[in-house]
Amino acid sequence: MYRSREHRILAGVCGGLADKMGLPPTLVRILWLLLSLIPGPLWVVYVVMWILVPEEPKGYRTAA
């Protein structure tokens, strides 16, 4: 999994998850936002993924 370069608003985490799951990035962002309204550490998970998940290599989409 990579953070998306193409489908990013903040760090590309939701775009990367969408690419991995084969879903539209907007749907993943909406689900993430709705789930973040539930008490819990979802924003911490986002920041950790931002730090740990590497950014998509340049030319990755053209090679695949």
Side-chain angles (χ1 to χ4, degrees), residues 44-57:
V44 173
V45 171
Y46 188 92
V47 171
V48 168
M49 288 181 73
W50 186 349
I51 294 167
L52 295 180
V53 175
E55 188 171 50
E56 182 178 81

Side-chain angles (χ1 to χ4, degrees), residues 2 7 9 11-13 15-16 19 22-23 26-27 29 31 33 35-36 40 45-46 56-57 59 61-62 64:
Y2 294 111
H7 304 291
I9 290 180
V13 173
D19 289 342
L23 297 171
T26 304
L27 177 63
R29 288 183 190 108
L31 289 173
L33 182 62
L35 288 173
S36 70
V45 171
Y46 188 92
E56 182 178 81
R61 292 192 185 276
T62 57

Side-chain angles (χ1 to χ4, degrees), residues 32-45:
W32 193 279
L33 182 62
L34 291 174
L35 288 173
S36 70
L37 298 175
I38 299 170
L42 197 59
W43 290 105
V44 173
V45 171

